[in-house]
Amino acid sequence: MKKVLIGLLLIIPMAIVAAVVLVTNVVLITPDITVASVAIVDPDFYQDVSLYFDRPGMQYQLAALVLPKKATNKKVHWSIENSVSYDPEYEGDIATADDNGNVTINWTGTFDIVAKTDDGGKTAALKLKATSQGRLT
């Protein structure tokens, strides 16, 4: 009986130590949460964008609202597409956008601001028209 008791006294602490080692080495794996949608919004109010153009070089900061909010990869790339100048002699970019959502209006015309997600390639586009009357609609 003594031998069994001594054996249990030796085995039980080893089993406890082994269990602690196993538990502390457990790595929690959380699933990636994929992007479902993206929208272009005003960064101050997270609502529809309303911009005004009164001179070349005006800059605007836009934001992308990526949903769900807990998406794993919220990286967004910004671009300007389908730009057409109202001045047939103007050969530059109507507008430019950087990867932070900063848009610079260079000249009058129409263009689309596009936000595209890394995850899933979800896109949002905002069609704008910069006129010499000072409106960007």
Side-chain angles (χ1 to χ4, degrees):
M1 185 71 167
K2 282 184 174 181
K3 289 182 181 181
V4 172
L5 186 57
I6 292 172
L8 287 175
L9 289 175
L10 291 174
I11 292 173
I12 291 174
M14 283 191 246
I16 292 172
V17 169
V20 169
V21 168
L22 286 174
V23 169
T24 57
N25 285 331
V26 170
V27 177
L28 295 177
I29 299 173
T30 57
D32 285 344
I33 299 173
T34 59
V35 171
S37 66
V38 62
I40 298 173
V41 296
D42 180 304
D44 294 326
F45 306 107
Y46 281 87
Q47 61 188 16
D48 290 339
V49 177
S50 177
L51 307 175
Y52 296 95
F53 171 79
D54 64 3
R55 69 186 182 288
M58 288 198 68
Q59 294 185 335
Y60 298 96
Q61 174 69 54
L62 298 177
L65 177 60
V66 177
L67 295 176
K69 289 183 179 181
K70 292 184 178 184
T72 305
N73 179 359
K74 292 184 179 182
K75 177 72 175 153
V76 174
H77 297 281
W78 294 87
S79 62
I80 302 294
E81 297 179 3
N82 305 320
S83 61
V84 178
S85 174
Y86 292 143
D87 181 353
E89 294 184 20
Y90 183 74
E91 295 180 5
D93 293 327
I94 304 301
T96 57
D98 68 16
D99 275 343
N100 297 315
N102 296 309
V103 177
T104 303
I105 311 300
N106 299 316
W107 205 252
T108 60
T110 61
F111 56 93
D112 297 336
I113 298 173
V114 178
K116 183 176 182 179
T117 63
D118 263 359
D119 179 13
K122 304 291 184 188
T123 60
L126 183 63
K127 183 174 279 301
L128 295 173
K129 177 170 58 173
T131 67
S132 58
Q133 283 79 32
R135 286 209 177 270
L136 188 61
T137 57

